[in-house]
Amino acid sequence: MKGTVGELGEFGLIRELTSRLTTTPAVRLGPGDDAAVVAAPDRQVVASTDVLLEGRHFRRDWSTAYDVGRKAAAQNLADIAAMGAVPTALLLGLVVPAELPATWAAELMDGLRDECQVAGAAVVGGDVVRGDTITVAVTALGDLRNHAPVTRDGAQPGDVVAVTGWLGWSAAGHAVLSRGFRSPRAFVEAHRRPEPPYHAGPAAAGLGATAMIDVSDGLVADLGHIAQASKVRIDLRSADIDIPSQMSDIGQAVGVDPLRWVLGGGEDHALVATFPSDVKLPARWKVIGEVLAPSALPRVTVDGAPWPYGGWDHFAQTRDAG
């Protein structure tokens, strides 16, 4: 694609973007009409939405348009999986300046499409608008397949806390990029393109998960949502949380305890869930703590003590990434 978004025009841009898409059996009617039609076999639709703003959620000097597309899709589709649902469809709201190269928008769509394919979903429509700042607004849909949703309010005292996916990798990658480096590459790529364990969400529902959430704002912060909704206390055992040697090396180089990234860094979109203690969990789930009856202590503790660092809060403008 040559030229700019402005030179293509709204409808030319839409034609170029939708021509890059694929579909799935769940999509009964894709882009091209007033609205898409997506199958909902059990008459329930799981929906989630998110917004990425240039300069706040991504930087073009750190990430390609393809990276941004993969990340935008991943963080929304992970929310669907965290409800125990199977992702089915994604809608895109795109705000771009007229002078933006058309190739950037096309590569963004390629990233969205490819991440949807990983999760078994498809981009089914959206809208494009001219604006001063690139904004990517994504809505994801999912199917519960006749199961009840796994919400945040079902954790019970005696449950175990288990996690699957990466923890702290995105925050470590953010720390590397913030200091002007591009390696270790695995951690930088984890920040640019998270890899949520989509299929583990519905599987956890089948195993009897009592509560579940994806780790977007930090493990302690997100478990705090479960603890508050379930009216319980959660205690994590730091000795049971894996810290890769390379992450420890990065922490030593930048003067940050890597446990801060693992417990407080977000955007990995791992899944953390609570299960009855007698459930036999597959190897992909690592037990890292337990659910306790509520007490006067903070709702989430680490080794029985309060964790002094927070996670990500958009309005507090803080990120616990060291």
Side-chain angles (χ1 to χ4, degrees):
M1 292 176 65
K2 296 181 179 180
T4 66
V5 166
E7 289 168 344
L8 272 180
E10 177 184 356
F11 300 108
L13 177 61
I14 291 173
R15 282 193 299 272
E16 290 289 348
L17 297 184
T18 55
S19 70
R20 313 177 83 84
L21 298 179
T22 56
T23 189
T24 69
V27 179
R28 302 296 171 81
L29 181 65
D33 217 304
D34 291 311
V37 178
V38 181
D42 72 351
R43 303 179 67 183
Q44 297 181 95
V45 176
V46 180
S48 179
T49 192
D50 237 323
V51 177
L52 282 79
L53 184 67
E54 183 183 11
R56 186 165 184 83
H57 302 101
F58 67 89
R59 288 173 44 169
R60 279 190 275 170
D61 58 332
W62 284 7
S63 300
T64 65
Y66 184 80
D67 292 333
V68 176
R70 294 290 295 257
K71 187 172 187 175
Q75 67 183 42
N76 281 272
L77 297 169
D79 285 333
I80 301 301
M83 299 297 292
V86 176
T88 55
L90 184 147
L91 296 159
L92 170 67
L94 181 62
V95 180
V96 291
E99 63 273 14
L100 182 76
T103 53
W104 196 95
E107 289 168 9
L108 172 81
M109 184 62 82
D110 289 346
L112 289 163
R113 176 200 64 211
D114 289 355
E115 190 64 30
C116 280
Q117 288 180 335
V118 171
V123 181
V124 297
D127 190 23
V128 295
V129 178
R130 176 176 176 170
D132 295 330
T133 304
I134 298 176
T135 304
V136 183
V138 172
T139 297
L141 307 177
D143 176 19
L144 287 165
R145 295 190 174 177
N146 296 311
H147 295 292
V150 182
T151 57
R152 301 176 181 182
D153 62 358
Q156 299 292 322
D159 286 353
V160 298
V161 179
V163 66
T164 183
W166 310 107
L167 287 175
W169 286 60
S170 178
H174 181 273
V176 168
L177 288 165
S178 296
R179 287 157 177 82
F181 298 102
R182 296 295 185 270
S183 64
R185 188 170 181 82
F187 293 89
V188 171
E189 288 304 307
H191 178 71
R192 290 171 172 161
R193 300 182 197 174
E195 298 182 9
Y198 301 115
H199 303 297
L207 288 168
T210 53
M212 185 159 50
I213 193 170
D214 78 305
V215 183
S216 56
D217 297 325
L219 180 64
V220 171
D222 287 317
L223 278 173
H225 298 314
I226 288 179
Q228 184 173 16
S230 299
K231 299 180 174 59
V232 296
R233 182 164 71 90
I234 291 174
D235 187 56
L236 301 177
R237 297 185 295 269
S238 61
D240 291 334
I241 298 175
D242 296 327
I243 299 179
S245 59
Q246 259 197 318
M247 187 184 293
S248 296
D249 293 341
I250 297 171
Q252 185 174 9
V254 301
V256 175
D257 181 352
L259 190 61
R260 286 185 59 180
W261 292 330
V262 172
L263 296 178
E267 295 192 336
D268 287 300
H269 301 287
L271 296 179
V272 62
T274 58
F275 296 89
S277 59
D278 59 352
V279 171
K280 186 174 181 179
L281 295 174
R284 70 179 305 161
W285 287 94
K286 170 78 168 176
V287 175
I288 58 171
E290 60 184 333
V291 179
L292 305 171
S295 71
L297 289 172
R299 295 186 183 278
V300 178
T301 54
V302 180
D303 299 326
W307 179 248
Y309 308 104
W312 173 247
D313 183 321
H314 288 279
F315 291 96
Q317 297 183 344
T318 59
R319 178 190 294 276
D320 184 31

